Amino acid sequence: MAGQQNQDVNQLLKVRREKLQELQENGKDPFQITKYDVSHHSQEIKNRFEELENEEVSIAGRMMFKRVMGKASFCNIQDLEGNIQAYVARDDIGEDSYKDFKKYDVGDILGIKGKVFKTKTGEISVHAGEVVLLSKSLQILPEKYHGLTDTDIRYRQRYVDLIMNADVRETFIRRSKVISAIRRYLDKENFMEVETPMLVSNAGGAAARPFETHFNALNEDLKLRISLELYLKRLIVGGLERVYEIGRVFRNEGLDTRHNPEFTLMELYQAYTDYNGMMELTENLYRYVAEEVTGSQVLTYGEHTIDLSKPFERITMVDAVKKYAGVDFHEVHSLEDARKLADEHHVEYEERHQKGDILSLFFEQFAEEHLIQPTFVMDHPIEISPLTKKKPENPDYVERFEFFLNGWEMANAYSELNDPIDQRERFEAQETAFAAGDEEANHTDEDFLNALNIGMPPTGGIGFGIDRMVMIMTNSLAIRDVLLFPTMKTLGGKDQ
């Protein structure tokens, strides 16, 4: 049966190529056409029908359906905004053109010029006066009624996915709107957008393994950045008081529903504020983007209703662990006590982990999943925060928060460490952790330390995961659903 199906498909593909050859031999090669003037899109025509009725428009798009009925036919044209029906009659476009039209295939890209009207059944349509073949499709689209459902093929052939699934197109249109809204908000707040290097000698600013490469011209090993932080802070030192960057970062880690090795991160830094200022910015930014993109500050994600309109909850990491695990780390005074508690609660840890690391492991295991509504988890242990200011009243903890929604970390923010002596000591502790087997530890960045020696003002900084934000704003279940071309395992030596 499979062999027969393959034979049938091959025959159909052969017919399409023969049609193209015939067009080319008759001087009608569609690939010679360089432009087509489009006056309107499908949804615009439907929205403005009363003023456009009987007016001439020109549309262009992919033919998704065709029904030939003797001297007249109907077809459906899909463009960026949706789809619209076209009525094509022999007496209106000419006998030769109609003969060509009848041979066109589903998937071909057409340009149609004609007048807007409404059929007897009430469907807004275009009465064609001219039909032009703009591109010949030599491949067969998935069968209309079943669409493209194989997720592996959808991710590998996103171009087909976008054609066949209107909700996928809408997701990526909305993604673009999310990023545009972020930029509008930050522009309004006088932030300056900048660009910093992707190829770096020292990939710092986050706990992650980098990808490594070699630069032949200088005979140097380089890394792809894992964060935007250290270069943006250099710009704060340079006097650019409010800066942000939206860009790709690369982390050599696993794939799952929330992780892809390359993803979009936004980091921003603001001089003369702290992590409290970053909390205020986060609340205002999320509300602004939700309102702009979805029209509401109340979002539906899966089975949850997420309310961004209310003040976001604030809780320390110690209190979150006490609330959800029943363990009070204020009463834990030694590493030995922390390990004993971890053993009792089946929290796995490594020999190199300190008390603060174990607190973080408790939080991840017992608290994260409960943080559905917007929540700031504040005051992390110093062991897991090498670039953050200590809390003056309790130097075992730092002025840091992570922002959670739907049980996910959505953002990470600090009162930035600007003491170069303290920062060097933190880097040295990270080097020790790396030597002990922590492949995600930071390395000493001497040029960054030099910048801090020159002097950085008190600064608040934050990093936002843009892809997860888009997931929430589009009710998408996996990060691959909001990445146009997610990372996939190659097949047969190349992506297929």
Side-chain angles (χ1 to χ4, degrees), residues 173-191:
I173 290 170
R174 186 169 283 194
R175 180 189 174 103
S176 178
K177 290 179 179 178
V178 166
I179 294 172
S180 295
I182 290 170
R183 285 193 166 103
R184 281 196 300 276
Y185 178 82
L186 293 177
D187 290 350
K188 182 169 63 76
E189 296 296 316
N190 297 316
F191 279 85

Side-chain angles (χ1 to χ4, degrees), residues 36 38 40-42 58-65 75-84 104-112 131-136 163:
Y36 187 81
V38 176
H40 296 78
H41 283 83
S42 56
S58 60
I59 60 172
R62 192 176 301 275
M63 183 167 66
M64 300 300 291
F65 169 80
C75 68
N76 185 283
I77 299 297
Q78 178 174 290
D79 60 18
L80 175 66
E81 295 183 357
N83 58 76
I84 191 165
Y104 296 160
D105 294 301
V106 168
D108 289 351
I109 296 175
L110 307 182
I112 295 179
V131 178
V132 180
L133 178 63
L134 302 175
S135 183
K136 181 67 187 167
I163 292 168

Side-chain angles (χ1 to χ4, degrees), residues 106-165:
V106 168
D108 289 351
I109 296 175
L110 307 182
I112 295 179
K113 185 179 293 184
K115 292 187 176 181
V116 177
F117 78 110
K118 189 177 286 187
T119 66
K120 293 178 181 178
T121 58
E123 183 168 354
I124 295 171
S125 307
V126 175
H127 189 138
E130 173 189 273
V131 178
V132 180
L133 178 63
L134 302 175
S135 183
K136 181 67 187 167
S137 175
L138 300 178
Q139 185 56 275
I140 299 169
L141 292 175
E143 196 269 327
K144 177 184 175 184
Y145 294 103
H146 296 98
L148 182 60
T149 56
D150 184 306
T151 54
D152 190 70
I153 295 177
R154 285 182 52 221
Y155 298 142
R156 292 182 188 278
Q157 299 183 15
R158 183 68 85 186
Y159 42 91
V160 181
D161 192 23
L162 291 165
I163 292 168
M164 300 306 299
N165 295 317

Side-chain angles (χ1 to χ4, degrees), residues 193-237:
E193 185 171 11
V194 298
E195 295 172 310
T196 61
M198 289 190 184
L199 281 172
V200 295
S201 58
N202 185 356
R209 283 192 298 172
F211 289 93
E212 299 182 3
T213 187
H214 186 77
F215 182 27
N216 293 332
L218 296 180
N219 193 28
E220 287 186 353
D221 291 330
L222 294 174
K223 300 176 179 67
L224 289 172
R225 66 185 181 186
I226 60 173
S227 168
L228 314 174
E229 180 166 347
L230 299 184
Y231 280 98
L232 291 176
K233 284 182 178 177
R234 287 168 167 88
L235 300 181
I236 295 291
V237 170

Side-chain angles (χ1 to χ4, degrees), residues 5 30 139 172 202 235 337 445 455:
Q5 288 177 338
Q139 185 56 275
F172 289 104
N202 185 356
L235 300 181
D337 291 341
D445 188 323

Side-chain angles (χ1 to χ4, degrees), residues 14 110 169 181 239 336 373 400 417 457:
K14 180 172 180 287
L110 307 182
R169 278 200 309 281
E336 184 180 23
Q373 296 304 317
R400 172 185 174 186
L417 179 59

